[in-house]
Amino acid sequence: MNKAITLQIGQVVSILRGKGAEQYAVVVSIEDSKYVKIADGHKIKFDQAKKKNVLHLLPHSFISSEVVNSLQESGRVTNGKLRFAVSRFCSENPNADQKGE
């Protein structure tokens, strides 16, 4: 029962486990097939991106082009762009509540 979850940089995810459960974040780097680093720009800043097990995340189909472009161009992304990506995802999905803000 080993199901592979594929995540992409810039993809919005819901956190299922840990202190940030039921919050949204953006994938900012992929460590390996099991771990990614996420940040939301608010509680989890880009500079202190949190390493999470992919099994503890629920991926959404929304991928922020601003985050992807910024990471490709400079290797960094501003916390404002991360906050914007999460808020845009929440505004486009009316059933998504933005928790923790």
Side-chain angles (χ1 to χ4, degrees):
M1 191 156 116
N2 188 5
K3 71 177 188 181
I5 298 174
T6 56
L7 295 172
Q8 298 177 14
I9 291 177
Q11 187 170 14
V12 174
V13 295
S14 294
I15 303 170
L16 300 175
R17 305 279 167 106
K19 286 184 181 179
E22 299 182 11
Q23 293 182 4
Y24 298 104
V26 180
V27 176
V28 294
S29 75
I30 298 173
E31 297 293 301
D32 55 31
S33 63
K34 193 172 178 182
Y35 292 100
V36 296
K37 286 195 174 182
I38 60 169
D40 65 3
H42 181 66
K43 291 189 178 199
I44 308 168
K45 308 284 188 198
F46 176 76
D47 292 332
Q48 286 87 31
K50 186 159 183 69
K51 185 176 179 181
K52 291 292 276 186
N53 187 325
V54 296
L55 298 176
H56 297 169
L57 301 172
L58 175 66
H60 298 284
S61 59
F62 184 85
I63 297 174
S64 172
S65 60
E66 293 90 0
V67 172
V68 173
N69 292 338
S70 180
L71 285 169
Q72 286 176 346
E73 290 172 6
S74 65
R76 297 187 51 81
V77 65
T78 63
N79 292 313
K81 284 185 184 178
L82 293 171
R83 287 190 300 269
F84 177 74
V86 171
S87 66
R88 198 168 103 197
F89 168 75
C90 290
S91 68
E92 290 180 7
N93 297 295
N95 58 347
D97 293 347
Q98 192 165 359
K99 307 262 179 171
E101 299 232 350

